[in-house]
Structures are given as C-alpha cells and as structure tokens.
Amino acid sequence: MRRMLCLALVLLLSLCACSSEDRPEQEIEYKGSLYTINMEDGTITSGGQVYRYEQSPGSGTFTYPDGSTCWWSRRDDGELWGCSDDHDPEAGGYVDGYTLLDVLEAAEPQGTGDTNGGQLLAGLLFLAIGAFNAVSPIRVWELSHGWRFKNAEPSDAVLAVYRIVGIAACVIGALLVLLAFRPV
C-alpha cells in the first residue's frame, strides 16, 4: 500500500510539472495594425518600431525608440498617465501609450481553456486507484499483503483504512482533474 501511494505521489509530482510550451512571442492584430509582443524581452514591435515595456501589477512604463517614456498606474480611483517631457509620439510616428497598453493587455494570458495534461493524467490516476481502494479494499489488501500469507484475512480496521485512503485519493484526483481545466 505504501509503495503504491509513494509511486502515485512520484508520478503526480513528475506529471504536474508537464505543461504545454509557452510561446514568449505573440502576434496581436489591433485596430488594423499588427503588433508582435515578446514577453521574455519585454518588447512590442509594430511598423518596424520596437517599444520596450516594464510592467508590474497595476502599473508600468513604455520606453519609445527615441528614449522617451510613458507610464501608467491604476488605482481604485482611476488610471493615471504621464510621459517624459521629450515624448512626442506624432513626431516619431510612434504608437500612443493607450494603444500599447491595450495591445499588451490583449496579449496577457486570459485562460485559453487548454488543459494541463500532466495534471489531468495524475488526477485520473488518483481517481482510478482511489476508486479501486474504496470499492474493493479486500482485493487491495490481497495484492499488497495477502499474497504473502496462507489463509490470512484482513482485519476490519485495515479494510476501513483502505476505504478511507481510497476516498481521499478520489477527492484528490477529482481536484486535480478540475484544476487541470482552470484558466492559466
């Protein structure tokens, strides 16, 4: 029984680490223009111009190709914007900060509906093992210990423990399956 639980735990930990490969670069079409966002480099490219951004929850800064900057901050009472004195988006043919922020927000992962395959598989494995333990604790005892002894019978306490462990494994499996479908 312990070996089976340890094996299931090792499998769970190894499979939960599996996920689909995230692409650091996304292309977004916004108001008729194409923008390429590189999440690793912190850049937005459009029309041959590269805009750098730094972002933290609720605030951020855009650095334009000419070195000028614009910043934003969101609070409960509204949104604040500001730009450096040398910022003139029309002179350089640059995209305005509001558009860059809209594009950046459109690129943020909002939950694609993709599943985490490893987590789903681990959840199904836990459900299967748990259901087997809960439904047939005598058979589980025979597979884990009973084969070693001749004419041995498990105690009621052992069977109760196998059932409880099986039900707990089913609950864990169900949670893993549900979490595999959550938006990322």
Side-chain angles (χ1 to χ4, degrees), residues 11-151:
L11 185 62
L12 169 72
L13 293 174
S14 63
L15 291 177
C16 286
C18 300
S19 65
S20 61
E21 185 177 317
D22 292 332
R23 294 183 335 176
E25 205 169 88
Q26 282 182 288
E27 286 189 351
I28 304 286
E29 185 174 344
Y30 183 78
K31 293 186 178 179
S33 296
L34 187 64
Y35 297 87
T36 304
I37 298 141
N38 188 316
M39 299 287 194
E40 285 182 358
D41 295 342
T43 60
I44 300 173
T45 306
S46 178
Q49 303 287 349
V50 178
Y51 309 92
R52 298 209 172 277
Y53 69 88
E54 293 179 16
Q55 187 177 16
S56 60
S59 65
T61 304
F62 292 114
T63 304
Y64 285 80
D66 64 359
S68 63
T69 60
C70 281
W71 58 268
W72 78 94
S73 178
R74 289 194 175 129
R75 299 187 207 172
D76 293 336
D77 60 344
E79 190 171 81
L80 300 173
W81 276 90
C83 293
S84 59
D85 291 338
D86 60 345
H87 179 68
D88 186 7
E90 293 174 6
Y94 301 141
V95 177
D96 67 275
Y98 295 109
T99 301
L100 290 175
L101 182 58
D102 288 344
V103 168
L104 188 59
E105 288 176 344
E108 289 179 1
Q110 298 294 323
T112 60
D114 293 339
T115 61
N116 183 339
Q119 203 169 23
L120 178 63
L121 184 61
L124 293 174
L125 181 68
F126 264 82
L127 279 170
I129 291 172
F132 186 63
N133 274 355
V135 171
S136 184
I138 293 175
R139 184 72 181 131
V140 174
W141 180 84
E142 288 172 352
L143 290 171
S144 62
H145 298 292
W147 62 271
R148 298 179 193 165
F149 309 104
K150 205 176 221 182
N151 298 326

Side-chain angles (χ1 to χ4, degrees), residues 138-179:
I138 293 175
R139 184 72 181 131
V140 174
W141 180 84
E142 288 172 352
L143 290 171
S144 62
H145 298 292
W147 62 271
R148 298 179 193 165
F149 309 104
K150 205 176 221 182
N151 298 326
E153 293 291 325
S155 69
D156 290 338
V158 167
L159 295 179
V161 168
Y162 280 124
R163 282 192 200 277
I164 291 169
V165 168
I167 292 168
C170 285
V171 170
I172 291 170
L175 288 173
L176 287 172
V177 168
L178 290 174
L179 290 174

